Amino acid sequence: MKILFIGSRLYDDVDYYVKRKGIESILTESNSDAINLDLPDQVFIVPRGMEGPKEIAITQNVDAIVPLIGIDPPLIQVAHMKEEIEEEYGIPVIAANVRAVELTSDKIKTKEFYTDINVSTPHYQILNCPEDLTLDFPVVLKQAEGQGGKDIKVAESIEDVNDYFEVFNQALCEKFIEGSEISIEVLGFNGEYVALPPIYKGETTIEGTHPLNKVKMGPCLVDGLDNNLIQETAYKIAKNLDSDGIFEMDFMYCPGEDQLYAIEVNTRPNGTRYLTTATCGINSLCELINMACCEFSLNDVFNRLEYYYSTEIPIGTYEGPKINEPLKSFDNNDFIVHGPEGYQRITIRAKSKQDLEKLVDKLT
Ligand SMILES: Nc1ncnc2c1ncn2[C@@H]1O[C@H](COP(=O)(O)OP(=O)(O)O)[C@@H](O)[C@H]1O
Ligand SMILES: [Mg+2]
């Protein structure tokens, strides 16, 4: 089995798994100074874009392509490459297709999609000027594209909206939801979908603090909210997206209204994955490789499900006890550390809430 991986930045997360499965690894990367270039069997530095990877895949005669791209902008090029290379060469590309990327990479299109498939999403309007606003404050102002909280502002008054329009000339304006933020990863391949356990990412704040900077927990345990409802809704969204790979979905639950709202979908490796793996033992990046090897099935995922309590805490720079190899896996660890120095996070798991508290005290 010979797999082409596109992008090296996340490759250290799967290196141990690729080696364990005896897969021959080829990797393309556009930045010759990037990390992890010493790990795969063969590396090709190619220009940005998908022409380089496509050519390497064909000339090296690979069995499958697994893009490991954790940012939004290249996803549409990957999707076009997928459709071309699958049709012309029959090489499977484990990634979202063009329709799924188009629907999910634009927050306005995503909201229209939710409405089409009858999934609740916060009330919204497209503002072309502050005077058009009819929703009550507070509201959340967003741009159609962006990740990590980029270009997002919670407005409490018309002055805040005016300030936003100093910078932008249009906004997706959404009702502010007071409540819990939840993410869930769904895996999809060949028409089969599995919704993994939902993760709790903290409460929304009027400052608009992004979940990246909060303490998170798995599984999600929110009073009044049934995890089956989250999983069923996520499954329904994935089925309607009708595509392959990882879907990370953001939801909000408003206890005052007892309403679950869908916020967004990311069709790529994402920040929820460490907590998902800690909580249930399934690692979405490794599952991409299983898909490439035709070894992915619902049954197999269900049979491997584990049950843990877990948490993820921003720690800056880790200075605790030694972590066992493989460093990014829970195989030989109760905790793993990830992220660049200064912005690291620790993900910790245990069989009971009590044990988890003890371990957190010891490690942080
Ligand atoms: N309708 C909303 N109500 C309350 N908070 C929100 C709302 N929309 C977004 N936020 C806050 O902003 C963050 C980022 O919004 P999101 O739409 O997920 O964009 P991004 O792609 O940047 O993650 C959310 O995780 C949440 O903390
Ligand atoms: Mg988000």
Side-chain angles (χ1 to χ4, degrees), residues 183 185 196-202 211 214-220 270-284 308-313 330 336 338 345-349 356:
S183 283
E185 286 190 289
L196 297 172
I199 302 300
Y200 171 74
K201 302 204 297 182
K214 291 178 187 164
V215 172
K216 306 176 203 171
M217 274 174 285
C220 173
N270 61 81
T272 303
R273 69 182 185 276
Y274 298 105
L275 260 175
T276 309
T277 310
T279 306
C280 75
I282 304 296
N283 176 324
S284 54
Y308 287 91
Y309 291 96
S310 61
T311 187
E312 184 169 299
I313 303 169
F330 288 94
I336 60 170
H338 46 95
R345 276 173 290 164
I346 186 166
T347 308
I348 309 171
R349 77 175 186 183
L356 182 63

Side-chain angles (χ1 to χ4, degrees), residues 223-240:
D223 263 355
L225 174 59
D226 186 345
N227 283 356
N228 284 344
L229 174 68
I230 309 171
Q231 286 179 304
E232 269 171 32
T233 312
Y235 177 86
K236 177 175 175 182
I237 295 168
K239 211 171 154 72
N240 280 285

Side-chain angles (χ1 to χ4, degrees), residues 107-127:
K107 291 188 165 84
I108 300 169
K109 284 194 186 143
T110 310
K111 290 190 75 89
E112 291 166 354
F113 170 66
Y114 289 145
T115 308
D116 284 348
I117 63 170
N118 214 1
V119 164
S120 299
T121 185
H123 282 302
Y124 71 104
Q125 56 178 138
I126 311 296
L127 286 189

Side-chain angles (χ1 to χ4, degrees), residues 135-140 154-157 174-178 206:
L135 292 173
D136 292 334
F137 290 111
V139 293
V140 185
V154 180
E156 293 185 86
S157 66
E174 203 171 74
K175 182 182 165 196
F176 178 85
I177 305 299
E178 196 177 336
I206 221 71

Side-chain angles (χ1 to χ4, degrees), residues 107 142 146-149 152 174-175 177 181 210-211 252 264:
K107 291 188 165 84
K142 305 183 184 185
Q147 70 181 83
I152 290 184
E174 203 171 74
K175 182 182 165 196
I177 305 299
E181 290 197 64
H210 198 272
M252 285 176 192
E264 65 162 344

